[in-house]
């Protein structure tokens, strides 16, 4: 499989991880310091930062250049979200986080990488997806 064909979807996934990091930053800012949810969101954000490291390393192994931000489209989406979406309270923040993890984190990743990666890259993506599914399970348990 041609390395550039593999690095392109990996870089898109990497940009998505940056979007997640910035989204969780906003969630964390909007949670009370004493909230147990706040500390869990900080841990989820650390997981996303670890995903960035893993993806960046893999892209470099494939002689590609890793993305260093969410990209222009990601920045525009975040700006629109900041203008129009203002989650209020923990339940609302949880709903936004679940939607982000499910829709952007999991479903888009599965679609993005389908039949486009080598075995080692796909294994890494499965590891990341499993971690994101754990995040969703936790977030859903906190919502109910």
């Amino acid at each position: 499989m041609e390395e550039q064909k593999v690095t392109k979807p990996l870089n898109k996934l990497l940009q998505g991880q940056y979007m997640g990091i910035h989204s969780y930053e906003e969630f964390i800012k909007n949670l009370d310091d004493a909230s147990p949810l706040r500390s869990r969101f900080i841990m989820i954000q650390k997981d996303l930062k670890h995903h960035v490291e893993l993806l960046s390393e893999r892209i470099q192994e494939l002689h590609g250049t890793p993305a260093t931000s969410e990209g222009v489209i990601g920045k525009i989406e975040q700006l629109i979200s900041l203008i129009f979406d203002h989650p209020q309270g923990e339940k609302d923040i949880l709903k936004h986080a679940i939607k982000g993890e499910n829709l952007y984190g999991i479903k888009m990743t599965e679609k993005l990488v389908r039949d486009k990666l080598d075995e080692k890259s796909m294994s890494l993506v499965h590891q990341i997806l499993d971690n994101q599914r754990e995040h969703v399970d936790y977030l859903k348990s906190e919502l109910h």
Side-chain angles (χ1 to χ4, degrees):
M1 192 169 280
E2 191 179 320
E3 289 175 342
Q4 188 176 7
K5 287 184 179 179
V6 175
T7 59
K8 188 173 181 176
L10 288 177
N11 258 321
K12 292 274 187 204
L13 177 55
L14 181 56
Q15 289 175 323
Q17 296 299 304
Y18 281 117
M19 283 180 66
I21 290 167
H22 295 130
S23 294
Y24 276 95
E25 187 67 40
E26 289 302 312
F27 296 148
I28 292 164
K29 283 183 200 176
N30 290 308
L31 288 167
D32 185 75
D33 287 349
S35 170
L37 189 59
R38 185 176 190 276
S39 59
R40 184 58 186 229
F41 273 33
I42 291 170
M43 293 302 297
I44 291 173
Q45 188 184 46
K46 283 181 185 177
D47 285 346
L48 297 175
K49 289 177 181 178
H50 182 65
H51 297 165
V52 164
E53 291 173 17
L54 294 172
L55 288 164
S56 294
E57 286 174 16
R58 181 64 187 141
I59 291 166
Q60 288 173 329
E61 287 173 6
L62 294 166
H63 307 287
T65 303
T68 56
S69 74
E70 62 276 320
V72 174
I73 292 173
K75 287 180 182 178
I76 291 170
E77 286 178 357
Q78 282 196 305
L79 181 61
I80 290 169
S81 178
L82 285 173
I83 293 169
F84 295 107
D85 286 342
H86 297 285
Q88 301 295 320
E90 288 191 3
K91 291 252 187 229
D92 204 23
I93 290 171
L94 277 166
K95 288 177 186 177
H96 275 75
I98 291 167
K99 180 180 178 185
E101 289 274 0
N102 261 332
L103 180 62
Y104 301 112
I106 297 171
K107 289 183 174 114
M108 288 187 78
T109 297
E110 290 172 339
K111 183 178 177 185
L112 177 69
V113 300
R114 190 173 292 125
D115 301 324
K116 295 179 184 164
L117 300 180
D118 61 286
E119 190 174 323
K120 185 173 181 180
S121 298
M122 198 64 203
S123 176
L124 172 61
V125 170
H126 282 299
Q127 175 186 341
I128 290 169
L129 285 170
D130 288 345
N131 190 241
Q132 288 182 285
R133 286 183 186 102
E134 289 172 10
H135 295 165
V136 171
D137 290 344
Y138 167 77
L139 294 168
K140 285 181 177 178
S141 74
E142 287 297 307
L143 187 59
H144 301 291

